[in-house]
């Protein structure tokens, strides 16, 4: 097959996927579409829930393994769409539709490149994985599938990066910060006001600077985003709850940041989860070095992806632009998909992915 044929197959599949709503936890029909197409390509797929994967037919246990991953699910369409988000429309170079950019372009082009790789011997095994629930970091997404896969040495995640390698990615931790007081009548100045108890903690959260600054991601950031307190004007509030969004860089684990915050504030602190860690790949890794040889520019990504759940080296590299994700009238350029197939082929062909970081 020629590159033009792979592009046509990618675009045709992407149009079918756009026309099949696949909002997180509702990906079954889109996974069915993808599974049927993969089977039509002659690939022997495996499935767990709404996650699909396929391995190189020439599998060799003595070779390392490259994982190609992108997600099936989308966010809900924004209210401001000016067209039907589930009606794929090509206008000039643009293919419009929900999920076209995030991350249908990466999902479909990586599948075509997987097909291409199976036709030529490589010094590694390849697994293509289309995962579910990425947009919500759901338990039935990639974290449920990774234990079912062979050992993975390195992964490429097809999120929209303008086909530049994101070699580091921020982690996410959401905290409940809870200040306690004692209720009383406001007119008699009774009780302990939980809002006042929380004020010093709010100021600290606003002003604190974490010491370790990443050259790729900058400092770890925390932002107070939601505050709830009080029931009515004449009752001293006995509880003030705050929601804090924490974006970690690769210099800290989520657990480390949690302990720092907990040691500085008076309020009670509870983490929703520690599982969404920052990720990064060593710049000496052969995958990064091949990117550099292709004049690609490594950068740090502020947005979260399934990389956060991968316990092995990975980078993000995919067609489209992150700024278009989750926006109304989302689109992917056909030229971006052509470019992606070309770059992926150059990047992966005969790549030695073995890496000893000692």
């Amino acid at each position: 097959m020629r590159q033009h044929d792979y592009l046509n197959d990618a675009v045709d599949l992407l149009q079918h996927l756009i026309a099949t709503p696949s909002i997180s936890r509702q990906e079954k029909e889109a996974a069915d579409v993808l599974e049927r197409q993969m089977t039509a390509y002659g690939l022997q797929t495996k499935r767990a829930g709404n996650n699909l994967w396929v391995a190189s037919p020439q599998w060799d246990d003595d070779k390392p393994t490259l994982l190609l991953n992108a997600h099936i699910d989308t966010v809900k369409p924004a209210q401001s769409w000016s067209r039907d988000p589930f009606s794929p429309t090509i206008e000039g170079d643009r293919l419009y539709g929900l999920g076209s950019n995030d991350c249908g372009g990466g999902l479909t082009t990586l599948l075509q490149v997987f097909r291409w790789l199976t036709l030529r011997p490589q010094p590694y095994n390849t697994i293509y994985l289309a995962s579910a629930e990425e947009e919500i970091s759901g338990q039935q997404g990639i974290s449920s599938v990774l234990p079912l896969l062979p050992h993975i040495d390195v992964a490429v995640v097809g999120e929209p990066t303008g086909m530049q390698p994101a070699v580091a990615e921020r982690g996410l931790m959401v905290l409940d910060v809870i200040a306690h007081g004692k209720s009383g009548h406001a007119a008699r100045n009774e009780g302990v006001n939980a809002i006042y108890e929380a004020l010093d903690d709010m100021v600290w959260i606003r002003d604190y600077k974490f010491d370790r600054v990443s050259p790729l991601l900058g400092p770890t950031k925390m932002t107070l985003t939601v505050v709830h307190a009080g029931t009515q004007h004449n009752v001293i509030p006995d509880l003030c709850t705050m929601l804090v969004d924490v974006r970690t860089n690769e210099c800290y684990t989520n657990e480390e940041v949690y302990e720092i915050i907990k040691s500085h504030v008076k309020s009670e602190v509870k983490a929703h989860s520690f599982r969404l860690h920052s990720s990064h790949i060593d710049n000496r890794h052969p995958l990064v070095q091949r990117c550099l040889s292709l004049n690609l520019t490594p950068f740090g990504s502020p947005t979260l992806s399934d990389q956060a759940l991968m316990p092995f080296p990975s980078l993000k590299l995919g067609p489209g632009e992150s700024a278009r994700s989750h926006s109304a009238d989302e689109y992917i350029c056909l030229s971006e998909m052509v470019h992606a197939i070309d770059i992926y082929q150059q990047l992966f062909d005969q790549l030695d992915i073995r890496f000893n970081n000692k």
Side-chain angles (χ1 to χ4, degrees):
M1 290 177 62
R2 299 168 300 170
Q3 189 182 66
H4 183 72
D5 298 318
Y6 286 118
L7 173 67
N8 286 343
D9 283 354
V11 172
D12 182 68
L13 176 56
L14 181 51
Q15 289 177 298
H16 280 88
L17 290 171
I18 290 170
T20 310
S22 55
I23 294 162
S24 301
R25 295 199 179 101
Q26 301 173 32
E27 307 99 333
K28 181 183 181 302
E29 290 186 11
D32 292 344
V33 168
L34 186 57
E35 185 173 26
R36 286 194 296 269
Q37 189 58 67
M38 292 169 70
T39 301
Y41 290 153
L43 303 175
Q44 296 185 346
T45 62
K46 294 184 179 181
R47 182 166 178 169
N50 295 324
N51 305 278
L52 294 165
W53 69 96
V54 61
S56 314
Q58 310 89 355
W59 191 272
D60 183 343
D61 287 336
D62 293 329
K63 292 181 178 180
T65 300
L66 168 68
L67 175 67
L68 307 179
N69 166 246
H71 63 89
I72 301 172
D73 62 315
T74 72
V75 296
K76 295 179 181 179
Q79 293 289 331
S80 52
W81 273 79
S82 66
R83 57 183 75 223
D84 182 353
F86 303 110
S87 179
T89 306
I90 296 177
E91 295 181 5
D93 188 38
R94 296 180 177 184
L95 170 55
Y96 288 92
L98 181 64
S100 56
N101 181 78
D102 184 17
C103 67
L107 181 73
T108 56
T109 55
L110 278 175
L111 175 58
Q112 303 310 316
V113 171
F114 174 85
R115 295 173 66 198
W116 181 83
L117 288 170
T118 63
L119 301 178
R120 43 195 42 77
Q122 299 294 337
Y124 55 83
N125 302 307
T126 313
I127 296 175
Y128 170 82
L129 168 63
S131 49
E133 297 191 8
E134 187 274 345
E135 295 290 2
I136 57 171
S137 301
Q139 297 285 351
Q140 299 307 309
I142 196 169
S143 59
S144 70
V145 178
L146 291 180
L148 307 178
L149 302 182
H151 173 79
I152 304 296
D153 291 273
V154 68
V156 171
V157 180
E159 292 283 335
T161 66
M163 287 310 290
Q164 300 296 334
V167 296
E169 175 186 271
R170 285 193 178 277
L172 170 65
M173 181 171 55
V174 179
L175 302 177
D176 289 318
V177 180
I178 307 161
H180 297 276
K182 183 179 179 181
S183 61
H185 198 298
R188 292 197 293 268
N189 198 29
E190 293 175 343
V192 177
N193 194 317
I195 297 175
Y196 296 163
E197 293 295 297
L199 285 178
D200 287 344
D201 290 344
M202 292 183 187
V203 171
W204 182 85
I205 289 167
R206 182 193 68 185
D207 294 342
Y208 184 77
K209 307 296 182 186
F210 289 90
D211 293 335
R212 301 174 218 159
V213 178
S214 163
L216 288 164
L217 297 173
T220 287
K221 298 179 179 179
M222 58 181 168
T223 307
L224 179 63
T225 54
V226 178
V227 177
H228 290 296
T231 56
Q232 60 190 60
H233 76 90
N234 57 353
V235 176
I236 298 296
D238 59 1
L239 192 68
C240 178
T241 62
M242 299 162 275
L243 206 59
V244 180
D245 178 286
V246 182
R247 304 287 171 157
T248 47
N249 62 24
E250 78 279 17
C251 304
Y252 293 93
T253 66
N254 287 341
E255 289 85 351
E256 284 180 285
V257 172
Y258 171 80
E259 291 299 331
I260 291 171
I261 295 171
K262 190 176 177 182
S263 69
H264 279 84
V265 300
K266 293 188 302 180
S267 301
E268 181 183 2
V269 183
K270 297 179 180 179
H272 290 196
S273 168
F274 295 116
R275 62 196 284 262
L276 301 176
H277 284 285
S278 176
S279 61
H280 71 284
I281 185 170
D282 195 303
N283 61 11
R284 298 169 296 167
H285 194 285
L287 183 60
V288 179
Q289 290 298 307
R290 178 66 69 88
C291 287
L292 293 172
S293 74
L294 296 174
N295 296 316
L296 304 182
T297 304
F299 72 101
S301 171
T303 57
L304 195 71
S305 75
D306 274 339
Q307 277 186 286
L309 300 169
M310 294 180 178
F312 39 77
S314 61
L315 60 78
K316 287 193 297 198
L317 181 71
E321 298 293 342
S322 181
R324 294 183 211 143
S325 300
H326 306 181
S327 65
D329 298 337
E330 179 184 352
Y331 67 88
I332 188 79
C333 293
L334 305 185
S335 57
E336 291 172 330
M337 296 176 69
V338 173
H339 182 59
I341 292 173
D342 179 55
I343 292 295
Y344 284 144
Q345 289 175 339
Q346 294 183 62
L347 180 63
F348 299 142
D349 196 25
Q350 301 308 311
L351 175 66
D352 183 358
I353 63 173
R354 297 182 191 273
F355 178 60
N356 187 340
N357 63 2
K358 294 181 181 179

